[in-house]
Amino acid sequence: MSASLAKPSAGTARQPLLDTCHLVETPEGIDLVLHPAGLVPRALAFAVDLAVRGAILLLSFLVLGQFGELGLGLASLIFFLVTWWYMVLFEVLNQGRSPGKQLLGLQVVHDDGTPVGWAASLTRNLLRVVDLLPFGYTLGILSCLAHPLFKRLGDLAAGTLVIYGERPQPHPSLPEVDAQPVPFALQADERRALLAFAERRARLSVGRRQELAGILAGPLQVPKEQAEARLLGIARELMGPP
């Protein structure tokens, strides 16, 4: 089991993650796992922002239109600000979250996970005109579907990424199972992997649990249908009695 779960040594290529994640190594040597948002939640967030901007513009023209040419001039200024600066101001001043993204639990960050800045936000939003071509966000949609991190062209140019924001999670607990002896000595990384699987199992689908259990329990040489129960028992042994 040590050979299959041990941390890769220097010079060994990092294995791809099993989940749809983006792994970033910080200068301090800490692995930061980001969860990129796919096309559907991004489209829903954009639709919300589009509705908010439409409501702002409609209200502005209705109110300011009562003041003649001066009102129409102010309304035109608001139109410019809402069209070109709505997203930028919210992304930079609100931790990468426009109202639509905040509602969907999304945020924009740099590729390295740091908060998005003015230059990157301006770039990604100005290039929406390219993503819109030839009509209806065709290029943006194709780019999102083709890219492993669901990036549109504006994200590629700006070096940004739309991710799911971190939400507080309740402290996980292991299921109530009988402890089973550890068949051989485990390294620290292997123990962490087993405990993480046991703690996360309740949030995984049956198919996903079986897939991960089969990978982790390969060195145990147990039937696939017994892999999950065996891993949970070993995890309980590592944690001690409840």
Side-chain angles (χ1 to χ4, degrees):
M1 189 170 186
S2 297
S4 62
L5 291 180
K7 184 177 180 179
S9 59
T12 302
R14 185 187 295 273
Q15 296 298 317
L17 297 179
L18 292 173
D19 296 309
T20 305
C21 301
H22 178 49
L23 187 63
V24 176
E25 185 173 352
T26 67
E28 295 79 16
I30 300 173
D31 285 341
L32 179 65
V33 180
L34 307 177
H35 300 272
L39 176 62
V40 173
R42 291 185 62 168
L44 292 175
F46 181 75
V48 172
D49 285 319
L50 194 62
V52 172
R53 285 186 288 181
I56 293 174
L57 292 176
L58 178 61
L59 183 62
S60 299
F61 276 95
L62 287 177
V63 173
L64 296 176
Q66 307 298 321
F67 298 93
E69 293 184 357
L70 176 61
L72 291 177
L74 292 174
S76 298
L77 178 61
I78 292 175
F79 177 83
F80 170 79
L81 293 175
V82 170
T83 301
W84 294 106
W85 287 92
Y86 170 94
M87 288 290 193
V88 175
L89 291 175
F90 273 113
E91 288 177 359
V92 176
L93 302 179
N94 192 37
Q95 300 179 339
R97 299 172 299 182
S98 64
K101 289 185 179 68
Q102 190 156 3
L103 183 63
L104 272 293
L106 310 179
Q107 66 180 122
V108 182
V109 296
H110 289 126
D111 285 341
D112 60 1
T114 56
V116 67
W118 289 101
S121 183
L122 277 169
T123 300
R124 73 184 303 272
N125 283 291
L126 287 175
L127 286 179
R128 285 185 187 277
V129 295
V130 179
D131 285 305
L132 282 165
L133 297 175
F135 58 87
Y137 261 97
T138 301
L139 286 181
I141 291 172
L142 292 177
S143 178
C144 279
L145 293 176
H147 197 278
L149 300 180
F150 312 112
K151 288 191 172 196
R152 61 178 177 84
L153 299 178
D155 291 314
L156 292 171
T160 54
L161 184 64
V162 179
I163 62 172
Y164 288 99
E166 294 295 329
R167 296 181 179 179
Q169 298 289 341
H171 183 72
S173 59
L174 296 182
E176 299 296 331
V177 296
D178 295 330
Q180 298 187 29
V182 182
F184 40 77
L186 301 177
Q187 296 183 7
D189 285 349
E190 296 169 346
R191 292 194 294 271
R192 284 195 294 267
L194 288 175
L195 292 175
F197 170 76
E199 292 173 344
R200 293 178 55 201
R201 66 177 297 275
R203 302 197 298 270
L204 301 173
S205 65
V206 175
R208 191 60 168 158
R209 291 204 309 267
Q210 293 175 348
E211 178 188 1
L212 293 175
I215 295 172
L216 293 173
L220 299 177
Q221 297 182 351
V222 296
K224 185 177 180 179
E225 59 272 11
Q226 299 178 13
E228 183 176 350
R230 185 83 168 100
L231 291 175
L232 294 178
I234 294 175
R236 171 53 65 192
E237 175 70 17
L238 294 174
M239 284 292 294

